[in-house]
Amino acid sequence: MASHVHYVEGRGDDALATLRRFLTTLPRQPGFVSAELLWSEEQPGLYLVMSRWDRPASGLDVPDGVRGWAFETVDER
């Protein structure tokens, strides 16, 4: 069975709080497996939520001011 990954990117002062709120909504969604909120010292002001799903997650409602992308895993080790 294919796995699915969804990324949401936010930038700026409000992005961390916005994506934390978004992260709390994910476990209630059908097909949710896991999610992480990511930050890198090398990309100040950029935050990502990476989530894994057992079905396509392309229909997620992402908050205003952030962008999201859905991917299907095509190879895995």
Side-chain angles (χ1 to χ4, degrees):
M1 173 158 67
S3 63
H4 302 268
V5 179
H6 192 272
Y7 286 93
V8 175
E9 171 191 297
R11 294 178 182 268
D13 296 336
D14 298 329
L16 180 58
T18 298
L19 292 182
R20 277 193 171 133
R21 285 190 302 272
F22 175 70
L23 185 67
T24 66
T25 69
L26 297 179
R28 296 187 296 268
Q29 304 296 323
F32 175 79
V33 175
S34 67
E36 301 171 20
L37 177 55
L38 307 172
W39 172 81
S40 172
E41 195 172 283
E42 296 176 13
Q43 295 288 325
L46 172 67
Y47 300 93
L48 298 171
V49 170
M50 192 243 4
S51 55
R52 293 196 174 276
W53 302 83
D54 67 7
R55 63 187 74 183
S58 57
L60 286 178
D61 289 329
V62 298
D64 290 338
V66 300
R67 303 183 317 167
W69 299 271
F71 296 89
E72 183 174 334
T73 303
V74 295
D75 195 1
E76 195 171 341
R77 301 282 182 269

